[in-house]
Amino acid sequence: MMNCIWGGMLIIGIVYGVITGNLQEVTDAVLQSSKEAVTLGISMFGIVALWNGLMEVAKEAGVISGMTRMIAPFMQFLFPHIPKGHRAWDSLSANFVANILGLGWAATPAGLRAMGDLEQLEQERRNEEYIETKNGLQSHQARTASTEMCTFLVMNISSLQLIPVNIIAYRSQYGSANPTAVIAPAIVATFFSTVVAVVYCKIMHRKQGA
């Protein structure tokens, strides 16, 4: 879908440039945007490497495990049906901590692992629940996202951020006079988005009887 949207926008821009006689401006804009994309990508690569490295250092130093213990009651409130000791807790907690610290890039690998762990947990549940078919055989339920997977996705999108590292890096790259000015607004905005997400998830859980 996104490919169609971006492709359509590109085609419309080119066609409009041809019709209005501004094809040269379109070409210049494409070349300039390509140059900026490469420059930004190289600049952000260093920032990604730095923060991912700091995340690993914090993990080895026990900072991540300490924060994980701090948010454990909140995590158990959000995911009451995940068995204690399941490996999904580690990846979920790592993702939440990274998001709270504003390390979006560092949160992505943990998020992918967490979704895989939740999928495995759901598969383990389905292996224990069979549906009798008309011919007397047994088959698994159709694959659908579990309650935990949906909750994780909603919380990941609305996550509280104390330090929006990504936005600060972008603002610094483009010459902002005060790149860190977004910290306070980001904390307020993400706090309320997180509260709304928690309330929404709990309401949906009750409707589903989860």
Side-chain angles (χ1 to χ4, degrees), residues 39-125:
T39 302
L40 180 62
I42 294 174
S43 300
M44 301 308 288
F45 178 78
I47 298 174
V48 171
L50 171 64
W51 286 104
N52 277 320
L54 290 177
M55 191 72 176
E56 290 299 319
V57 171
K59 183 178 180 180
E60 293 296 327
V63 175
I64 302 301
S65 60
M67 294 189 66
T68 298
R69 287 192 295 271
M70 290 176 59
I71 66 172
F74 176 70
M75 298 292 291
Q76 292 171 0
F77 172 74
L78 281 178
F79 306 100
H81 300 300
I82 297 181
K84 291 183 178 180
H86 195 279
R87 69 177 187 176
W89 286 118
D90 294 334
S91 51
L92 283 170
S93 298
N95 176 266
F96 271 65
V97 169
N99 274 322
I100 290 173
L101 296 177
L103 307 179
W105 295 300
T108 300
L112 295 175
R113 289 196 301 271
M115 193 61 77
D117 292 340
L118 292 176
E119 183 178 9
Q120 182 181 14
L121 174 61
E122 185 65 11
Q123 186 61 43
E124 292 170 359
R125 291 170 177 168

Side-chain angles (χ1 to χ4, degrees), residues 118 131 138:
L118 292 176
I131 300 177
Q138 293 179 325

Side-chain angles (χ1 to χ4, degrees), residues 1 4 9 20 25 35 61 71 75 82 93-94 112 121 127 153 163 198-199:
M1 177 60 71
C4 294
M9 292 174 62
T20 58
E25 285 77 2
K35 179 181 177 180
I71 66 172
M75 298 292 291
I82 297 181
S93 298
L112 295 175
L121 174 61
N127 288 339
L153 182 60
I163 306 175
V198 172
V199 173

Side-chain angles (χ1 to χ4, degrees), residues 126-141:
R126 289 173 182 156
N127 288 339
E128 300 174 357
E129 298 177 359
Y130 294 95
I131 300 177
E132 293 185 0
T133 58
K134 293 182 180 180
N135 58 8
L137 298 177
Q138 293 179 325
S139 62
H140 296 294
Q141 296 180 9

Side-chain angles (χ1 to χ4, degrees), residues 67 74 95-108 155-170 180 182-195:
M67 294 189 66
F74 176 70
N95 176 266
F96 271 65
V97 169
N99 274 322
I100 290 173
L101 296 177
L103 307 179
W105 295 300
T108 300
M155 295 304 302
N156 209 266
I157 294 172
S158 63
S159 176
L160 171 69
Q161 287 193 5
L162 299 180
I163 306 175
V165 176
N166 295 2
I167 303 302
I168 293 174
Y170 284 125
T180 59
V182 297
I183 292 180
I187 292 175
V188 174
T190 56
F191 171 78
F192 283 105
S193 68
T194 300
V195 171

